[in-house]
Amino acid sequence: MSEGGSSLKEQFLIEGRDLVESAGECLLRLEKEPDDSALVASLFRAVHTLKGNSGLFPVPPLTRVVHAAEDVLDEVRAGNLTLDSEMADVLLDALDQVSAWLDAFDRLDHLPDEADEVASGLAARLAVFRFDADAPPEPGDSGPDLAADWLDGLPAGDLAAAETALRTGGPVVLIDYTPDSGCFFRGEDPLRFMLTLPGRVWLAVTATQPLLPGPDFDPYQAALRFRAISTASLSEVQTHLAYVAAQVAIGAQTPPPAAPSTADPVLRALLEATAEALACPGPAEAFAGRMASTATVLSALLPQAGLGAEAAVMAARDQALAAGQATALQDLLAAALAPKPAPVAASPAAADPAAAPKAAPRRQGVLKVDQARIDMLMKLAGELIVAKNGLPFLANRAEEVFGSRAMAREIRAQFDVFNRIVDELQTAVMQVRMVPLGSVFDRFRRLVRDLSRQVDKPLVFVVEGEETEADKNIVEDLGEPLIHLIRNAVDHGLETPAERRAAGKPAEGQVRLSARLAEDKVVIEVADDGRGVDVARVRAKAVERGLISADEAAQMPDEAALRLILRAGFSTAETISNLSGRGVGMDVVATMVERSGGTLSLRSQPGRGTTVTITLPLSMTVRRLMMVELDGSQYGVPLEMVLETARIPQDQLHRHLGPPQIVRRDRLIPLCDLRRPLRLAPRPQEPAELSVLIVATAQGEVGLIVDAFRSGTEVIPQPLDGPLAGLACLSGAALLGDGSILMILDLEEVLKCPW
């Protein structure tokens, strides 16, 4: 594609995916609120907009499917159909397929080879909701049956022309098109549409109901049926008819050879109708208006048929007005209706931009910017933060090295101004990166619906805090962990309806997904009201799978035993199913949450349910760190993991078999001397008081013994390159204001080393 075409394609894909997601959300809500007309209207608009946008690209199977969906939803909107679970299933399948096609078009610039076949199947499944058994056959019906249906009741002239066209000597395509009665209101022109049919060799038009004369005639309702024969390929015809696929029956046939007919009876029928209307008597005061209307119709029809020019029509109109009689226009019509050969070839007008449906102009409510540009802004803001942090060091040097206290005061004053501006810039850029969690939460409505039906557990899915915002990268990384948690809640957490009734609970379970802000963190919870976690069974399974020894299991407190479900390879499922039982899932969740700088906690009550809480920083770009000193070097610890700092006298340490422990608020907290897992030299002598940094980890609370505490700071972490890239205990590095490098510790990896 050209640069402009590529940009248009990118915009189509972005908007297309948004529309598919929006339509899916509306569908799921409509299953519970089928009478909500606003939801029906929103769903119809999303599908209609997607159909209009797709017409600009070579994706006719996609267009065909969304048009079939639009036709069904139009009937729902009109009150002729009721949206039920069966219809929702087919519509959701169609949206899933459209989403897959958008991905394929993104990668390949075209749809897969089997797209036509898949589109035919989906369009047929959707058409079932609109047509009964007596309706015209669906695309793909046999040609002979379709032709036999046509031959009944055709006028002798049309019958002869059709039979001649069927004996062209090669394959032919038969088209039966009955446009929707309200097609004019969607900007459709069925006549022009059929006149531009590729390879058209015959066309007949009949009324589907009696056309009432005079003022009783409704010109805004389409009541026509078009039947045509084309010598173009079946794929060409299907591409041309993609927009009206649900209103068309197509058949293919290979007839005996004969010369093709070039008759165009549809224009003749319209001209004959105009002549009849012109011959009808009318009031004298309406004569001028009738002549003007007739001239307008003839100006459109005669040039199309090559039977006259607009100048001749206007001249005949003027003569009729001057004479007070319609003779001049009647003569023109008679000449046009006189038998004459009128060869008709396949028209290239299908490529005419005027014939293509145009999407209504949309006002852009938001400005969509490539994420790379936002990331660049964030990087520049980070450079400013580094530059800002260097000013206090410069002030100290001015005072201590050069003895200029006045200069130091001026630098600090400028630092205050600089700090305020940089903080405001950083906040503004971070706000641009913030997106509501609803963009992730909404996709789980479909997941829960499918899981509920798969395991036969009716449930209510409650979503709270969708408006809570977090950094775009964090929101995108939440998808996979939440899928695992929701699957576990439905499969492991909730009981069957019979078990719930026996326990005195409602047969319908509940899964709740919620989000809220807590200071500079976002807290997400997945909770169920199911059976809860049997801690004794968890201990037994952990011993059975060799994750811990029986002695360890017996001494382990319930809170620590509950966290065993986060271990790799752990599962309480007796059998492997499509949803669980393989021992992967919760360990993946814990790993991904920790990688994002967050923590995961568990609460469970037997018979009451389980709650999994994920706590994440609002932004992954700017990190707040607590700096500590070890062996003369400084290291950074994520501030969100820090619970408190303490100075512990040596006589308050408890030593028994394992690492030393301390008691804080009636809890035993193990101590880890960071020098050991980091393989630093031991201290020359043990201090009387230990500097202990108490942090929250996936294994619980741990006290980290450091040499000294330093100040907190804000940094932009950078990934490690070269030999350092392989060190799992380091998650990155940052440049400090004095030009030194700060290594950032990955505490989860550090604590996996012997300590």
Side-chain angles (χ1 to χ4, degrees):
M1 280 192 175
S2 64
E3 183 176 349
S6 177
S7 176
L8 188 62
K9 172 188 171 183
E10 182 179 347
Q11 186 66 26
F12 163 65
L13 291 170
I14 292 172
E15 188 169 356
R17 290 180 175 118
D18 289 345
L19 290 169
V20 168
E21 186 173 337
S22 174
E25 179 187 353
C26 289
L27 260 176
L28 295 176
R29 293 176 60 187
L30 274 170
E31 275 196 291
K32 301 184 184 302
E33 308 167 48
D35 298 326
D36 192 328
S37 58
L39 277 177
V40 173
S42 296
L43 175 58
F44 179 83
R45 281 196 302 271
V47 175
H48 176 72
T49 302
L50 181 57
K51 180 202 74 173
N53 292 354
S54 68
L56 300 174
F57 300 91
V59 289
L62 187 153
T63 302
R64 182 178 177 188
V65 169
V66 292
H67 198 125
E70 180 194 36
D71 286 338
V72 172
L73 294 173
D74 198 25
E75 295 294 323
V76 173
R77 188 175 59 160
N80 300 327
L81 291 175
T82 300
L83 194 149
D84 55 18
S85 294
E86 184 181 358
M87 185 187 297
D89 284 340
V90 181
L91 288 169
L92 286 169
D93 287 346
L95 290 175
D96 287 344
Q97 186 59 65
V98 168
S99 180
W101 279 338
L102 289 174
D103 292 341
F105 184 54
D106 189 9
R107 297 191 312 270
L108 309 172
D109 268 349
H110 59 80
L111 299 189
D113 294 338
E114 69 277 6
D116 281 327
E117 182 179 351
V118 174
S120 295
L122 282 171
R125 290 174 63 194
L126 288 165
V128 167
F129 299 105
R130 298 184 61 238
F131 300 116
D132 57 28
D134 297 329
E138 290 300 316
D141 282 351
S142 64
D145 292 340
L146 192 59
D149 175 60
W150 286 357
L151 298 179
D152 294 335
L154 278 181
D158 285 341
L159 180 60
E163 290 176 343
T164 300
L166 283 170
R167 289 190 288 269
T168 57
V172 295
V173 180
L174 314 176
I175 302 99
D176 191 347
Y177 169 35
T178 304
D180 184 88
S181 61
C183 64
F184 296 146
F185 294 99
R186 296 194 295 270
E188 297 176 7
D189 185 346
L191 175 60
R192 175 186 285 270
F193 194 61
M194 293 305 291
L195 287 175
T196 58
L197 179 70
R200 174 174 54 84
V201 294
W202 177 81
L203 176 67
V205 59
T206 55
T208 58
Q209 62 189 38
L211 301 179
L212 301 177
D216 294 327
F217 176 70
D218 186 353
Y220 299 107
Q221 293 294 318
L224 300 173
R225 179 184 181 187
F226 296 89
R227 284 171 286 187
I229 298 175
S230 170
T231 56
S233 67
L234 180 61
S235 61
E236 284 183 275
V237 173
Q238 287 178 331
T239 299
H240 182 77
L241 299 173
Y243 273 105
V244 294
Q247 304 164 33
V248 176
I250 300 177
Q253 179 172 327
T254 304
S261 169
T262 57
D264 195 4
V266 63
L267 287 174
R268 185 176 185 85
L270 293 172
L271 290 172
E272 288 174 349
T274 304
E276 291 177 10
L278 195 60
C280 293
E285 59 271 18
F287 178 77
R290 291 178 62 202
M291 296 304 102
S293 299
T294 302
T296 300
V297 172
L298 293 179
S299 296
L301 293 178
L302 296 184
Q304 285 252 14
L307 300 174
E310 184 177 2
V313 175
M314 294 300 105
R317 179 202 61 183
D318 294 342
Q319 291 178 27
L321 291 174
Q325 295 180 346
T327 306
L329 286 172
Q330 288 174 327
D331 291 343
L332 190 61
L333 272 167
L337 289 169
K340 59 174 68 72
V344 179
S347 171
D352 181 4
K358 295 181 175 59
R362 298 181 302 276
R363 185 177 64 183
Q364 294 292 336
V366 295
L367 177 64
K368 294 185 178 180
V369 181
D370 192 310
Q371 184 178 346
R373 299 184 181 184
I374 304 299
D375 291 342
M376 177 57 70
L377 280 177
M378 201 66 205
K379 181 180 178 181
L380 294 175
E383 297 294 338
L384 285 174
I385 291 173
V386 173
K388 173 198 74 173
N389 292 340
L391 290 178
F393 292 96
L394 184 60
N396 291 338
R397 284 179 56 81
E399 184 173 355
E400 296 172 4
V401 178
F402 300 102
S404 177
R405 300 185 63 182
M407 179 64 71
R409 283 196 300 271
E410 289 184 17
I411 293 174
R412 292 190 179 100
Q414 287 301 312
F415 169 77
D416 292 337
V417 176
F418 194 21
N419 184 56
R420 176 180 58 80
I421 295 173
V422 171
D423 283 351
E424 290 179 359
L425 175 62
Q426 175 190 332
T427 300
V429 176
M430 287 180 63
Q431 287 297 321
V432 174
R433 290 173 57 96
M434 302 288 271
V435 295
L437 288 169
S439 61
V440 173
F441 286 6
D442 288 342
R443 74 182 68 166
F444 298 127
R445 299 182 193 276
R446 170 73 184 282
L447 172 68
V448 171
R449 174 188 183 273
D450 292 345
L451 291 176
S452 172
R453 300 182 71 172
Q454 184 175 345
V455 299
D456 196 21
K457 294 180 181 179
L459 61 90
V460 176
F461 184 48
V462 179
V463 178
E464 300 172 348
E466 295 170 279
E467 70 285 352
T468 304
E469 293 186 335
D471 187 275
K472 185 178 187 294
N473 289 344
I474 288 180
V475 171
E476 290 176 347
D477 289 345
L478 276 173
E480 188 172 345
L482 290 179
I483 287 175
H484 286 296
L485 294 180
I486 290 172
R487 280 179 174 168
N488 276 352
V490 176
D491 194 31
H492 287 305
L494 295 182
E495 311 95 329
T496 64
E499 291 172 335
R500 291 182 66 86
R501 282 191 289 265
K505 295 181 178 181
E508 195 173 54
Q510 184 184 94
V511 174
R512 179 173 55 83
L513 174 61
S514 63
R516 68 179 188 276
L517 291 179
E519 298 179 352
D520 59 345
K521 300 175 184 177
V522 59
V523 180
I524 300 165
E525 290 186 344
V526 177
D528 65 73
D529 67 345
R531 58 173 61 91
V533 177
D534 186 342
V535 178
R537 187 168 178 232
V538 169
R539 286 193 179 94
K541 280 290 182 181
V543 173
E544 177 186 323
R545 292 176 178 263
L547 299 178
I548 57 173
S549 67
D551 290 341
E552 289 176 312
Q555 298 175 10
M556 186 175 288
D558 286 352
E559 183 178 348
L562 185 61
R563 297 190 67 86
L564 287 171
I565 66 176
L566 302 179
R567 297 278 189 94
F570 182 86
S571 176
T572 57
E574 299 296 339
T575 59
I576 294 176
S577 70
N578 291 336
L579 300 182
S580 60
R582 301 182 186 276
V584 296
M586 291 301 292
D587 64 307
V588 173
V589 173
T591 301
M592 296 187 71
V593 169
E594 293 160 8
R595 190 184 303 141
S596 299
T599 58
L600 184 147
S601 62
L602 299 164
R603 300 194 311 275
S604 185
Q605 289 182 280
R608 300 284 298 276
T610 303
T611 300
V612 181
T613 303
I614 297 174
T615 304
L616 293 166
L618 280 178
S619 172
M620 291 177 61
T621 305
V622 177
R623 299 293 298 274
R624 298 177 63 192
L625 302 177
M626 173 79 178
M627 292 193 296
V628 297
E629 185 176 322
L630 284 165
D631 199 21
S633 300
Q634 294 189 92
Y635 296 85
V637 175
L639 195 59
E640 60 268 13
M641 300 182 70
V642 177
L643 299 178
E644 61 178 308
T645 59
R647 297 192 181 276
I648 308 296
Q650 290 280 355
D651 59 6
Q652 292 185 13
L653 301 186
H654 300 269
R655 292 181 171 89
H656 179 69
L657 298 179
Q661 298 176 322
I662 59 173
V663 178
R664 302 290 289 182
R665 300 178 182 85
D666 299 325
R667 298 194 310 274
L668 278 174
I669 299 176
L671 298 183
C672 168
D673 189 342
L674 278 181
R675 284 175 172 255
R676 292 180 180 175
L678 295 179
R679 298 182 181 180
L680 301 177
R683 293 178 183 83
Q685 60 181 15
E686 289 294 326
E689 285 187 337
L690 297 177
S691 298
V692 178
L693 187 70
I694 300 176
V695 296
T697 71
Q699 288 76 36
E701 295 181 6
V702 178
L704 305 177
I705 302 175
V706 299
D707 293 352
F709 304 124
R710 298 301 180 208
S711 61
T713 187
E714 291 182 341
V715 300
I716 304 292
Q718 301 296 330
L720 296 173
D721 295 325
L724 295 179
L727 297 179
C729 59
L730 299 178
S731 63
L735 183 65
L736 295 178
D738 62 352
S740 61
I741 301 296
L742 178 71
M743 294 296 180
I744 304 172
L745 296 177
D746 185 337
L747 292 184
E748 301 295 346
E749 292 296 329
V750 168
L751 295 177
K752 290 179 181 178
C753 301
W755 49 280

